[in-house]
Amino acid sequence: MLRISPAHHPDLLGIPLFTEHIPAGFPSPAADYEEQDLDFNELLVKRRASTYCLRVSGDSMEGAGILPGDILVVDRSLRPVDGDIVVASLEGAFTVKRLRISSRTVVLQAENPRYRDIPISNEEDFLVFGVVTGVVRTMGRGRK
Amino acid sequence: MIGLMDCNSFYVSCERLFRPDLRECPVVVLSNNDGCVVALSREAKQLGIRRGTPYFKVRSLLISCGAAVFSSNYTLYQNISNRVMAVLGELFGEVEVYSIDEAFVHFPLDMPGSVEQAAGAAKEHIERMVGIPVSFGFARTKTLAKAANRMAKQSSCPEGVYVLDESREEEVLRRFPVTDIWGIGSRKGRWLLQRGVVSAWDLRLAPSYWIKEHLSLVTLRTHWELQGRPSIGPETPGAPRKGILSSQGFSREITELFPLSQAVATYAERAAGKLNDQQSTAGYVTVFVRTNRFRHDLQYAREVTLRLDPPTGSSTEIVAAAQRGLRIIFREGYSYAKAGVLLSGIDLPEALQQNLFISRDDRRQRLELAVQQLKSNYGRRVIHTLSSGGEHSWAMRQEYLSPRYTTNWKELPMVR
């Protein structure tokens, strides 16, 4: 016989709300100071509809603090400008690099001395997917 | 003016979004169970493949052309659709979502610039924000906007925006086949053709009394809409659905009660999940099963409706009722190809509030809450009723399923 014991509310994941009984006449002195929990979405995602997450597989951006296994937060709503770290599609694959735009040239720069700059000559198969606005890394036993 | 936004080859565009290598190669998306082609890229159309073609017929052609083939990835499509609709809402205010890839918008009179300019800017904005190409058709009514959208998709309209002004209606409708009008099905279309109503313009000019006498009120509305009189009201956005259906064909035919009951439990649970999403209760559960209509052996199809008294949103109660229903209609000796569960008598959220207080069993209520919490925190598949569990050998065939790029941490697109 399978028994299922009632699960209790996982307050760890909810928004803090005072659902406990408060003794009448003694409201919590902290009640006025109650605020919402920190929300990582608020920190990382400015525009939900245009934000995508991608997983890093190479080490070409090590110098910028982007390591293999990291999750990039990419916002498509931003227009890429010189100096942005961008995700771009090049020769049929996504790559993350620093974008260098001057009056005459567009170059994708790695931040790792072992990688060479990539000058963009054939515009046809180059397209900026979005601008990197954040990087998320879980580690140790929290690895996802 | 009313506009219809439509995503171009939506399923294909979604598949291409995270596959830059597929930008120019033929892409097709298959229906449930990988049966036939439901969406195809321009390159695939050029191979002569049409929507609805059974996959097995074009399989070798697709392979020889290096085409990419995908099973329907509804998780991905729905997520991308939500993004498109959200951006559309920011641009136009109220959006009436008509399908996963279509929505009606109103062009506000106070919007600066012309309709063409605004629609062109909106198209570009959606493509940049979400990464999905769309087209817009604007006209005086929904039916005309739908026709305008079709014009926007033609090669003669590379901008992807078509505004059907009143002055151009005759010219366009005269060339527009009656069978292509929104709301005119193939049967009704044939009937009209036989009576000399060939173009949309003919239907617009047809006498109203004649339409009323021979056809339905629906067609009369279409007729008015073609005349420029808005006659199709908005579906109240966010209104609770009248019925919730969860149904699917099996990948192989089922003859025994046990796997069939597993399937019915799974569908019932899925439907109950949707019910819970809108915080409603259902008053009736309908269960149906049927054999494969396209085969020439023994056919059987039956349904039964059970009353839920009092109405409930509890997935355990709904699953139990669905299985009771199945035992009533199940007959041995048949090969079942499809089953489904329909929830109806759906109540508004307010009504649920009252029901919460006449709860018969508080423990059940708490269990239900805990299950819902688990599902919303850890995903739909984390917990299920025992009856729907186990190996689903009958489950949908999805051999070419792409990753759930936008909804699962383990399936994110890769970047070097």
Side-chain angles (χ1 to χ4, degrees):
Chain A
M1 173 90 189
L2 184 80
R3 280 186 68 101
I4 301 170
S5 54
H8 59 83
H9 230 70
D11 35 6
L12 190 98
L13 294 144
I15 294 161
L17 269 175
F18 285 142
T19 51
E20 302 303 312
H21 283 291
I22 296 165
F26 296 100
S28 161
D32 287 347
Y33 301 91
E34 179 77 353
E35 288 184 6
Q36 294 222 328
D37 266 341
L38 292 173
D39 177 1
F40 283 105
N41 277 318
E42 188 195 1
L43 183 74
L44 291 163
V45 182
K46 293 282 170 293
R47 290 160 213 82
R48 260 190 126 78
S50 61
T51 301
Y52 291 103
C53 292
L54 289 91
R55 176 86 63 177
V56 179
S57 71
D59 60 358
S60 69
M61 290 301 280
E62 229 173 53
I66 295 173
L67 303 180
D70 284 358
I71 294 163
L72 297 179
V73 181
V74 177
D75 190 348
R76 290 182 58 97
S77 71
L78 302 173
R79 288 201 189 275
V81 296
D82 177 53
D84 277 343
I85 295 176
V86 299
V87 166
S89 59
L90 188 66
E91 288 164 0
F94 285 129
T95 181
V96 54
K97 295 286 178 291
R98 196 176 291 281
L99 184 69
R100 288 295 176 197
I101 308 176
S102 71
S103 51
R104 271 166 302 160
T105 58
V106 176
V107 175
L108 290 181
Q109 251 174 17
E111 303 233 343
N112 182 335
R114 292 191 291 115
Y115 290 80
R116 268 187 229 158
D117 289 357
I118 309 166
I120 301 304
S121 47
N122 180 8
E123 293 259 338
E124 293 223 325
D125 62 54
F126 170 76
L127 212 63
V128 173
F129 179 82
V131 175
V132 177
T133 56
V135 52
V136 178
R137 183 177 312 142
T138 52
M139 38 183 65
R141 275 177 281 178
R143 193 114 203 148
K144 252 203 140 149
Chain B
M1 285 197 123
I2 293 174
L4 177 73
M5 182 227 60
D6 188 357
C7 302
N8 306 346
S9 312
F10 180 57
Y11 296 176
V12 168
S13 301
C14 291
E15 296 293 351
R16 272 181 169 161
L17 185 56
F18 301 107
R19 290 289 303 272
D21 57 313
L22 302 181
R23 202 163 285 151
E24 267 140 41
C25 98
V27 177
V28 302
V29 177
L30 306 177
S31 61
N32 282 344
N33 277 324
D34 295 344
C36 43
V37 174
V38 286
L40 56 174
S41 71
R42 188 163 11 101
E43 297 78 9
K45 278 178 200 157
Q46 281 162 1
L47 294 174
I49 300 166
R50 294 283 160 264
R51 219 173 157 248
T53 311
Y55 175 51
F56 73 87
K57 284 193 178 168
V58 289
R59 200 185 148 149
S60 53
L61 172 68
L62 287 165
I63 291 171
S64 69
C65 296
V69 177
F70 292 100
S71 304
S72 293
N73 184 345
Y74 288 113
T75 313
L76 175 67
Y77 309 153
Q78 191 58 57
N79 179 271
I80 303 296
S81 169
N82 295 346
R83 290 165 184 259
V84 171
M85 301 308 175
V87 176
L88 196 63
E90 284 166 23
L91 293 166
F92 289 95
E94 204 169 291
V95 171
E96 196 189 316
V97 177
Y98 176 66
S99 71
I100 195 165
D101 59 353
E102 293 170 290
F104 289 106
V105 294
H106 288 265
F107 182 72
L109 293 170
D110 57 353
M111 217 176 201
S114 69
V115 184
E116 277 95 345
Q117 282 169 337
K123 172 185 157 66
E124 202 184 306
H125 189 65
I126 292 169
E127 291 178 4
R128 188 163 63 88
M129 296 280 279
V130 188
I132 295 291
V134 301
S135 48
F136 278 95
F138 275 87
R140 293 194 289 160
T141 64
K142 286 182 179 172
T143 306
L144 290 170
K146 196 89 173 150
N149 189 282
R150 187 173 270 253
M151 303 294 290
K153 283 222 168 79
Q154 282 173 4
S155 53
S156 55
C157 183
E159 316 83 49
V161 171
Y162 191 91
V163 179
L164 180 54
D165 282 318
E166 199 179 336
S167 58
R168 269 201 284 183
E169 279 172 10
E170 178 168 358
E171 179 203 332
V172 168
L173 295 185
R174 274 189 188 283
R175 282 182 290 133
F176 202 88
V178 76
T179 44
D180 288 355
I181 301 172
W182 185 42
I184 304 290
S186 58
R187 239 183 65 202
K188 210 183 278 177
R190 265 202 311 277
W191 191 90
L192 285 164
L193 281 175
Q194 281 162 8
R195 280 150 190 87
V197 180
V198 178
S199 71
W201 188 250
D202 295 337
L203 186 60
R204 169 165 160 165
L205 294 184
S208 302
Y209 69 86
W210 178 77
I211 293 171
K212 210 150 89 186
E213 199 182 310
H214 297 284
L215 296 150
S216 59
L217 179 65
V218 179
T219 316
L220 192 62
R221 286 210 189 98
T222 305
H223 164 72
W224 287 332
E225 285 247 322
L226 289 171
Q227 293 176 338
R229 286 165 59 190
S231 311
I232 298 173
E235 235 93 57
T236 324
R241 283 173 270 199
K242 293 210 177 67
I244 294 176
L245 175 72
S246 177
S247 153
Q248 230 158 47
F250 309 130
S251 56
R252 59 169 181 80
E253 280 160 16
I254 295 179
T255 50
E256 291 133 62
L257 180 61
F258 177 70
L260 197 60
S261 143
Q262 245 184 344
V264 163
T266 303
Y267 302 152
E269 207 173 319
R270 226 177 265 169
K274 289 185 205 163
L275 188 70
N276 284 322
D277 287 346
Q278 59 185 53
Q279 303 201 316
S280 308
T281 57
Y284 300 91
V285 182
T286 305
V287 186
F288 63 88
V289 292
R290 67 163 171 75
T291 51
N292 187 345
R293 272 181 295 194
F294 303 109
R295 276 182 42 165
H296 296 293
D297 49 9
L298 286 173
Q299 295 287 312
Y300 178 72
R302 213 180 136 186
E303 62 170 72
V304 65
T305 299
L306 301 181
R307 185 153 167 228
L308 295 164
D309 190 23
T312 179
S314 153
S315 52
T316 45
E317 285 176 33
I318 288 169
V319 169
Q323 293 197 297
R324 266 205 313 282
L326 176 68
R327 281 194 293 272
I328 296 170
I329 57 176
F330 178 79
R331 295 288 177 273
E332 265 184 59
Y334 295 100
S335 301
Y336 295 93
K338 187 174 186 167
V341 172
L342 174 79
L343 303 180
S344 53
I346 288 167
D347 237 337
L348 295 164
E350 295 89 64
L352 175 75
Q353 296 303 318
Q354 291 168 350
N355 282 340
L356 274 174
F357 295 106
I358 39 166
S359 152
R360 304 129 289 163
D361 185 348
D362 183 45
R363 283 176 311 168
R364 180 159 270 184
Q365 205 84 247
R366 288 203 329 252
L367 171 68
E368 205 59 39
L369 207 67
V371 167
Q372 274 177 43
Q373 190 98 118
L374 275 170
K375 284 189 178 182
S376 73
N377 286 329
Y378 302 105
R380 282 258 157 89
R381 271 159 265 185
V382 68
I383 186 165
H384 53 75
T385 53
L386 195 59
S387 40
S388 71
E391 203 183 319
H392 290 181
S393 59
W394 43 269
M396 199 155 65
R397 195 179 297 131
Q398 294 182 309
E399 250 176 87
Y400 314 102
L401 197 59
S402 54
R404 289 166 293 171
Y405 296 112
T406 56
T407 52
N408 192 303
W409 292 117
K410 294 196 164 63
E411 300 179 15
L412 297 180
M414 299 299 281
V415 53
R416 278 184 308 199

